[in-house]
Amino acid sequence: MKSSSMNTHMGSISIDNEVIAQYAGTVATECFGIVGMAAVMKGGLVNLLKRDSMTKGIAVTLTPNNKLDIDFHVIVSYGVNIPTVAENLISNVRYRVEEFTGLEIDKINIYVEGVKVID
């Protein structure tokens, strides 16, 4: 994976996109209605990822104007209002990742890959 970098008055800072994806995934799973990240397999099968491999459901890219684009492939809880959960996810991730990295987020795309009933 590539890294995102910025220049400061003290030098250059480089953050691996895997680190950003891990942090964004942790923030996302703390949001109400998000069960976890999803991996889409061949043939359209969706697999709920465990915590240690959640970055496979997240793609972080640095745009030419030095901003981040983040794609989430998520599984949501059954019965939640998906637009509300998505707005909450976008708001929380945007604020916390920008604070964590110092980089601005251009776009956050959310792909709901499945629904899971929670006991």
Side-chain angles (χ1 to χ4, degrees), residues 52-106:
D52 57 341
S53 60
M54 79 169 69
T55 57
K56 293 179 183 171
I58 303 168
V60 177
T61 54
L62 188 65
T63 64
N65 57 357
N66 214 29
K67 295 182 181 181
L68 296 173
D69 285 348
I70 306 175
D71 294 341
F72 288 93
H73 295 269
V74 299
I75 295 178
V76 298
S77 299
Y78 176 79
V80 298
N81 183 308
I82 293 175
T84 303
V85 170
E87 285 176 23
N88 184 36
L89 173 65
I90 290 168
S91 174
N92 285 340
V93 168
R94 181 178 303 277
Y95 174 75
R96 291 189 49 198
V97 170
E98 285 180 352
E99 286 292 312
F100 178 67
T101 63
L103 295 167
E104 189 177 339
I105 294 178
D106 187 33

